[in-house]
Each structure stands twice: as structure tokens, then as C-alpha cells.
Amino acid sequence: MSYAFRTTYRQDAETYVEDRGYAHTVTKGQASFATLDAEFGKILAVGQTARRNSEGDGWEVVDGFPLLDSVKAVKLAEINRAYESTLAALTPTYPNSERLTFNKQEEEARAWDKDNTAPTPLLDALAAGRQMDKAELVRRVLVKADAFTVASGLLTGQRQRMEDALEAAASVEEAQAIPVAYSLDPVAGIV
């Protein structure tokens, strides 16, 4: 019998994993937590899953969370959320619109660094707006771009390592046990 319609797993007192065609984690404090807790808090102990095929069916409660793919999807979402959050923390003071110019700034700075007659309309405008010498602006852009490249490379490598471990996980327990933590320690002092 297929239980693809709906599956809800109680991970702990403050976390449910719900699957209605896509697995997602619902934690205490989120709007939908109270609804889930009202529905499942009394029928599910921690570590149990309720599943059914359709609205008319009753809930079947089983121990564990037998859907490894769902657990992997939830863990991958956790890995990716933490990655995005950690990466965003590298540039917290920049508005998104400015971040969208970073690649162009770097492109122009590298071109000007090789040939100081290369056209650099964005850097020219930035230097004028900041009332800063263009050579100094180019130097700063390149220093920041290089530091960000190393830091983002390190974080991306860590994310890929976690994803590799997740793909290799053969059980729900292995998938759930993968620690999600990012660190810039190997590049301390450059960011």
C-alpha cells in the first residue's frame, strides 16, 4: 500500500516532518506548527509516523520514519539553508542591489588591473560617487573579490561534502546524523 498522500513524522517535541508530495520540516514557532501539533500531538510519540492514502482513510501510526528519501530531502534543505545563511553573512552590510554589481565590479577591476586603459564605466561611476582614486577602488574591489572567492569556495566545498555524505546515507539514522555546520577557520583573517 502506498502512503504518498500524506505522512507526518514527530521528530521531537518541537519538530514535525511533513510530506505531502514534498518533505519539509515544521518547527515550533512556525505558523503551521500549532495546527500540526493539535492534530498529531496526542497520537504521535516522538519518533513515530502517521500516514494515510486519502482524507477518508484513518491514520496508521508506525514507529520510526520509514521514508529515507523524505528525510534526505529535509536534510538537504537544512544543508542548503545553512549554506545560504552562512554565505549571506559574509556580506551583511551590502544591500542586494549592490551585491548584484559585484561580478561586474570584479570584471572591470581585473581588466583595469591588466590594462589601465580598459573601459570601466561602473568603476568610474563608483569612484566618482565615492570621491575616491580609481586605483584605490580597484585595489579594494580585488582584495574583497579574492577573499570572497576563497571563503565561498571553502563553504561550497563543505556543502558538497555534506551532500555527498547524505547521498551515501543508507538509513534514516545516518541521514539525520549528518552534522550541518559551516566554518571559515581555514581562511581566518582573510574575510
Side-chain angles (χ1 to χ4, degrees):
M1 184 174 216
S2 170
Y3 293 96
F5 179 75
R6 185 171 177 199
T7 304
T8 303
Y9 170 70
R10 188 171 190 178
Q11 183 173 320
D12 56 44
E14 298 186 355
T15 310
Y16 288 96
V17 178
E18 187 170 42
D19 187 351
R20 294 185 187 207
Y22 70 98
H24 60 282
T25 302
V26 179
T27 56
K28 192 171 189 173
Q30 290 179 292
S32 57
F33 180 85
T35 303
L36 280 176
D37 200 44
E39 186 172 4
F40 296 105
K42 292 181 181 169
I43 66 168
L44 288 181
V46 169
Q48 288 187 318
T49 298
R51 56 190 183 184
R52 69 180 179 196
N53 267 341
S54 66
E55 288 292 334
D57 291 348
W59 289 106
E60 177 186 9
V61 175
V62 296
D63 289 332
F65 189 35
L67 303 174
L68 180 57
D69 289 342
S70 292
V71 170
K72 285 184 173 186
V74 168
K75 181 58 85 167
L76 182 59
E78 178 187 353
I79 289 167
N80 289 339
R81 268 192 318 276
Y83 170 79
E84 291 294 345
S85 174
T86 305
L87 204 53
L90 296 176
T91 57
T93 62
Y94 298 96
N96 190 49
S97 297
E98 185 174 348
R99 282 194 295 271
L100 295 174
T101 71
F102 286 178
N103 287 339
K104 184 68 172 167
Q105 286 183 46
E106 180 182 3
E107 176 188 313
E108 288 186 9
R110 295 211 184 277
W112 193 85
D113 194 42
K114 286 182 184 174
D115 174 7
N116 67 4
T117 64
T120 57
L122 177 59
L123 292 182
D124 292 342
L126 287 171
R130 291 183 76 171
Q131 299 178 348
M132 176 183 286
D133 177 67
K134 184 174 178 179
E136 175 61 14
L137 178 62
V138 166
R139 185 192 70 74
R140 289 183 185 189
V141 167
L142 293 177
V143 166
K144 288 181 180 184
D146 290 344
F148 185 81
T149 296
V150 171
S152 65
L154 180 64
L155 296 172
T156 299
Q158 292 171 24
R159 192 203 68 74
Q160 291 171 349
R161 176 180 38 82
M162 287 179 241
E163 186 175 16
D164 290 345
L166 185 58
E167 288 176 15
S171 70
V172 168
E173 293 75 20
E174 282 181 45
Q176 289 175 327
I178 295 169
V180 178
Y182 291 93
S183 171
L184 291 173
D185 287 343
V187 289
I190 67 162
V191 184

